[in-house]
């Protein structure tokens, strides 16, 4: 099957230096979407992608999304592109994002974060290398290798690359919904490469994601920050109330203490119970990724369930309090705690929000505090589960076996990629998550990397997937 | 008594524009001691003071203090100065500090923090205006007004102005102890102007201060920050443990939940119990200073006790967690909570530390967490109580009545000025706290100000105090 693939694979190997150079150019653009001052860099990154696509013969549009909510700042454009328009071929819609998380050398990076550094062990370190510039460029590289090798591209490719993923994908849902029956109308399936293998050895195909409800708890009292010497012992302190609220949400072993959450979680069926043992995952993989052995569970099955099919609650930080090194004797006047809940089937967003609000208000009311407290969701994204028996998945499974010489694990993920659900709903088509990087890549952390092997074999995988997609019978 | 004072007062009024201009020049130097990058400004501020003192005929030394602990950064010098060396006169040692708290317009200031702005209502807004550049310049202004008016200066003045007060007074204790029987040897009493009136109407003399033990609680686990989607529900999170610890320390009404603290506090005697009613202080004053009515108590007496004679515990913030606006789904790998306890007679520093360490370790051990936890004191300063019957205090009381037309309150303070105790111990002499600013000045907050009236009358007060000191019989 797919006899042209050997020639394609050889061409990918032959072009590998050029592909790494393309990634270096992309990483060098600090397209940090959360920082207003970096917005011109995000836009520059979008234009870089558009230029590369035009050179490859794609038709490209840089679609403006208007202003960022609550600001006067233009959102970075979405790169909408089409490569091929042959009615006899299947059409695959792919998504990726060209913005990145913030990064500064001073955060603890071993290398300059925006200077892709290829290590002797094959790690290619740099912000965005694996999340998500490597995978996005993977599609461009696949097109180029086909062209140079003179191999017919097996499908029509629709591309949607956004620049605000790391900061809430502002404006993207509206675009996807509006284009579902227009620009995306002839898509037969969707493929997203923006997640990771479960470990470092075996590739996976992902058919489920947790959702995420992100909350703020605001406590305020005094008109301005106070000196604790002067006012300590006479003023009710917002921080006192806030840390007591934050300390009431979850325990050390991840048990969510908010009533009305666990009740919504789908029960484990006997069929599901048997799935976990065969997954290529060990506690060593987890501990290596953690950089410690501070896991909640000691066994693989309960750990995978904790990541995939149970909700979790994380406290992220506090805005408005003293956060620098050293000592400052301040009583902050207004503090905002941030926490989020990862949601799973069959949790409902509104029901979950109500449970959170009711609980936090209840905890606070017991303090009899004169301070003001407000709890609200900053953003909510639903969980997603797709059918892994669709031809979209079987094509990807065959491609994986061909490139990596092993069957992929069928996995779910703990993180949220809200756009997955939006594409599913807007197109009505099957969505596949086809990761390129591995579990130790450190997306969102310091020293983010993509292994050279994962990049190059990943480019082969994306191309091979399209060839099998072209052959796979409809199911 | 003190017949030359009228001429002195007239001269202070005549020079008031020049004195405000001097304060403007001082405020314009952003001598923020906590920021390494501002160190040259702190040094520049010390030199500015030294130059002004030399112009006034004082003998001045800029005493280096070596390197800041744990850094390669030079500490700002201490300004040591003497004005007058007449053996027939008393010698008064005065202390102040020329460094300031950090300030940025973006923190919420209505005016540029380092540009002294005189409002129509008499507020002079700017960082350091009241803490402590106004009072420090008060001594210089008093000298100048005497010279211009041709009035003999009534005492010898020893001056000690430091540049690290807002960042722990690194190196100062050693200097004071070393100079106690040398440069400070002929001091007959000490006067410190670095605190505030209890309210806004009646001046006060302060004879007691709370101490301060400042603590860090460090919780760490993972090797690097993690993504809560991937690791939420499988890793024990340091923030979860930390907020539970911080939430166990104190309740909304300021009750410290750590056993072994309340037991150390001196009982209220009948004599003390009667002192509070006469103090010029109302709940309105407190609420105005708070900018809210979120006080712990509804009555003045319990409020004053809460500020002066009971310990308090404030949670200041968390280092290492997410602290910016917006949403970030991070699991911080290492977080450091900061809190402090204000201490009172008869609390012991070591006993208090032990109680804190034991309690925090006990709370943490109940979590059965695999994370690492460390609790330690960053710095500790003892409480201080002086004799308010000393001639140093009666001279200040007479000066207050002469300048302000009313008897001062004898007060204690909730804050710490650790150097007070050091001066008392190194010189063996009585120490008086003689404040210039009022309770609404907002030292350490945004919109810090010194009222023009407090500045100008305060300069009169400092001079008058020295005249009464010269006349007061030894007791
Ligand atoms: Zn991503
Ligand atoms: Zn001060």
């Amino acid at each position: 099957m797919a006899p042209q693939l050997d020639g394609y694979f050889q061409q990918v190997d032959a072009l590998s230096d050029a592909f790494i150079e393309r990634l270096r150019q992309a990483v060098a653009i600090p397209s940090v979407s959360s920082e207003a001052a970096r917005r011109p860099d995000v836009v520059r990154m979008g234009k870089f992608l558009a230029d590369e696509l035009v050179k490859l013969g794609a038709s490209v549009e840089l679609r403006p999304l208007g202003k960022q909510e609550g600001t006067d700042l233009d959102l970075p454009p979405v790169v909408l592109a089409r490569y091929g328009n042959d009615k006899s071929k299947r059409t695959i819609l792919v998504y990726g994002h060209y913005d990145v998380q913030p990064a500064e050398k001073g955060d603890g990076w071993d290398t300059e974060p925006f200077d892709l550094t290829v290590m002797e062990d094959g790690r290619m370190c740099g912000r965005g290398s694996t999340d998500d510039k490597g995978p996005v460029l993977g599609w461009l590289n696949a097109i180029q290798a086909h062209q140079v090798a003179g191999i017919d591209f097996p499908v029509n490719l629709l591309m949607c690359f956004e620049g605000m993923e790391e900061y809430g994908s502002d404006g993207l849902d509206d675009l996807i919904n509006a284009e579902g029956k227009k620009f995306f109308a002839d898509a037969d399936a969707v493929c997203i490469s923006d997640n990771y293998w479960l470990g470092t050895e075996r590739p996976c195909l992902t058919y489920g994601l947790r959702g995420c409800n992100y909350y703020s708890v605001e406590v305020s009292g005094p008109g301005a920050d106070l000196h604790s010497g002067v006012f300590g012992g006479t003023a009710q302190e917002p921080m006192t109330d806030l840390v007591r609220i934050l300390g009431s949400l979850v325990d050390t072993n991840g048990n969510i203490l908010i009533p009305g959450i666990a009740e919504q979680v789908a029960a484990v069926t006997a069929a599901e119970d048997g799935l976990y043992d065969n997954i290529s995952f060990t506690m060593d993989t987890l501990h290596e990724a953690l950089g410690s052995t501070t896991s909640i569970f000691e066994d693989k099955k309960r750990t995978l369930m904790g990541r995939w099919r149970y909700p979790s609650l994380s406290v992220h930080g506090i805005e408005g309090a003293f956060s620098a090194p050293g000592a400052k004797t301040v009583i902050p006047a207004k503090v905002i705690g941030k926490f989020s809940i990862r949601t799973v089937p069959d949790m409902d967003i509104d029901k979950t929000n109500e449970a959170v609000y009711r609980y936090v208000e209840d905890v606070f009311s017991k303090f009899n505090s004169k301070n003001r407290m407000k709890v609200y969701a900053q953003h909510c994204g639903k969980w997603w589960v797709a059918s892994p028996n669709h031809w979209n998945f079987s094509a990807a499974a065959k491609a994986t076996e061909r490139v990596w010489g092993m069957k992929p694990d069928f996995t779910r993920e703990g993180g949220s990629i809200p756009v997955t659900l939006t594409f599913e709903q807007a197109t009505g088509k099957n969505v596949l998550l086809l990761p390129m990087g591995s579990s130790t890549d450190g997306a969102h952390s310091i020293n983010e990397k993509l292994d050279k092997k994962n990049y190059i074999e990943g480019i082969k995988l994306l191309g091979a997937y399209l060839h099998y997609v072209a052959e796979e019978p409809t199911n």
Side-chain angles (χ1 to χ4, degrees), chain A:
Chain A
M1 304 279 277
Q4 318 88 324
L5 278 177
D6 287 332
Y8 169 67
F9 293 164
Q10 282 162 23
Q11 196 59 60
V12 171
D13 285 328
L15 287 168
S16 62
D17 284 350
F19 294 160
I20 291 168
E21 177 55 28
R22 181 176 272 147
L23 182 57
R24 187 190 317 279
Q25 288 174 30
V27 167
I29 303 173
S31 51
V32 178
S33 49
S34 62
E35 297 169 7
R38 292 290 201 191
R39 189 56 51 88
D41 293 314
V42 184
V43 172
R44 187 154 58 91
M45 181 63 206
K47 288 191 176 135
F48 169 81
L49 276 182
D51 289 347
E52 296 287 292
L53 282 163
V54 167
K55 279 187 230 161
L56 291 169
S59 59
V60 185
E61 181 192 352
L62 283 168
R63 178 74 66 90
L65 288 181
K67 300 287 182 192
Q68 185 172 339
E69 217 187 304
T71 74
D72 213 38
L73 206 59
D74 282 324
L75 288 165
V78 171
V79 179
L80 288 175
R82 168 182 282 278
Y83 183 70
N85 201 354
D86 181 340
K87 298 290 177 214
S88 69
K89 293 178 178 174
R90 275 185 169 145
T91 299
I92 298 297
L93 167 59
V94 303
Y95 160 89
H97 63 90
Y98 61 81
D99 62 317
V100 297
Q101 285 276 322
E104 281 176 43
K105 183 87 175 8
D107 296 340
W109 285 70
D110 294 331
T111 60
E112 285 297 335
F114 296 106
D115 184 1
L116 188 77
T117 309
V118 184
M119 308 302 216
E120 279 195 13
D121 60 7
R123 281 179 301 138
M124 305 192 296
C125 299
R127 177 55 91 215
S129 55
T130 195
D131 181 19
D132 185 38
K133 291 178 175 176
V136 164
L137 296 184
W139 299 110
L140 279 64
N141 297 337
I143 294 173
Q144 185 179 356
H146 277 85
Q147 290 177 348
V148 177
I151 300 169
D152 184 49
F153 206 70
V155 301
N156 306 308
L157 202 62
L158 291 175
M159 286 161 273
C160 176
F161 300 138
E162 69 152 323
M164 283 296 281
E165 198 274 343
E166 302 292 5
Y167 204 61
S169 293
D170 208 348
L172 188 70
D173 277 7
D174 289 345
L175 177 140
I176 295 171
N177 288 323
E179 299 296 336
K181 301 297 168 209
K182 297 198 306 203
F183 189 77
F184 304 145
D186 57 339
D188 295 300
V190 183
C191 178
I192 297 175
S193 190
D194 187 21
N195 68 315
Y196 308 93
W197 297 359
L198 198 52
T200 56
E201 300 302 327
R202 184 185 293 272
C204 66
L205 309 180
T206 305
Y207 65 96
L209 293 166
R210 291 195 291 188
C212 183
N213 292 10
Y214 199 105
Y215 300 97
S216 288
V217 197
E218 223 175 279
V219 185
S220 60
D225 286 359
L226 303 171
H227 187 289
S228 67
V230 183
F231 293 98
T234 68
Q236 294 188 337
E237 304 186 14
M239 265 301 268
T240 299
D241 291 345
L242 181 62
V243 294
R244 291 173 77 81
I245 290 171
L246 295 179
S248 75
L249 301 173
V250 62
D251 73 14
T252 296
N253 286 320
N255 299 301
I256 299 175
L257 306 176
I258 303 169
I261 305 287
E263 291 83 341
Q264 297 183 62
V265 177
V268 181
T269 62
E272 182 195 330
D273 201 62
L275 284 177
Y276 297 97
D277 290 334
N278 297 323
I279 301 284
S280 167
F281 180 83
T282 66
M283 292 307 289
D284 284 347
T285 315
L286 177 73
H287 292 154
E288 190 192 341
L290 277 180
S292 73
T293 57
T294 55
S295 56
I296 293 177
F297 307 105
E298 301 297 336
D299 68 301
K300 161 181 155 179
K301 181 172 172 179
R302 197 58 194 73
T303 294
L304 288 177
M305 286 178 141
R307 179 186 292 195
W308 292 355
R309 63 108 53 232
Y310 283 116
S312 64
L313 190 155
S314 297
V315 179
H316 306 296
I318 296 174
E319 179 185 343
F322 174 55
S323 61
K328 191 177 175 186
T329 54
V330 66
I331 297 177
K334 176 180 170 180
V335 283
I336 308 173
K338 315 278 178 82
F339 68 96
S340 66
I341 297 179
R342 299 284 162 175
T343 58
V344 297
D346 298 315
M347 288 172 70
D348 177 76
I349 286 179
D350 292 335
K351 229 163 136 177
T352 302
N353 286 348
E354 273 162 42
V356 168
Y357 302 159
R358 194 167 48 233
Y359 178 75
V360 170
E361 275 155 15
D362 190 47
V363 167
F364 180 71
S365 74
K366 292 196 178 115
F367 300 162
N368 277 318
S369 176
K370 297 173 188 168
N371 291 318
R372 287 181 305 282
M373 191 282 293
K374 240 177 25 184
V375 53
Y376 53 93
Q378 276 198 48
H379 59 71
C380 298
K382 197 173 177 276
W383 47 266
W384 162 81
V385 178
S387 162
N389 301 316
H390 191 275
W391 57 258
N392 197 26
F393 279 83
S394 49
K398 287 176 184 167
T400 303
E401 213 167 339
R402 176 77 175 260
V403 171
W404 288 100
M406 62 183 103
K407 285 190 198 302
D409 278 330
F410 282 77
T411 64
R412 284 158 69 172
E413 254 304 349
S416 313
I417 311 177
V419 77
T420 309
L421 192 68
T422 313
F423 275 116
E424 184 183 274
Q425 291 171 339
T427 64
K429 298 296 155 73
N430 181 274
V431 182
L432 155 75
L433 301 189
L434 182 57
M436 176 180 272
S438 79
S439 67
T440 52
D441 284 0
H444 298 208
S445 294
I446 57 166
N447 298 325
E448 177 183 344
K449 60 89 178 168
L450 174 62
D451 289 328
K452 186 177 160 186
K453 180 163 185 187
N454 281 57
Y455 184 51
I456 301 303
E457 301 306 302
I459 296 163
K460 294 178 188 170
L461 176 66
L462 297 183
Y465 155 69
L466 299 176
H467 280 270
Y468 284 102
V469 153
E471 294 180 352
E472 201 67 9
T474 303
N475 58 355

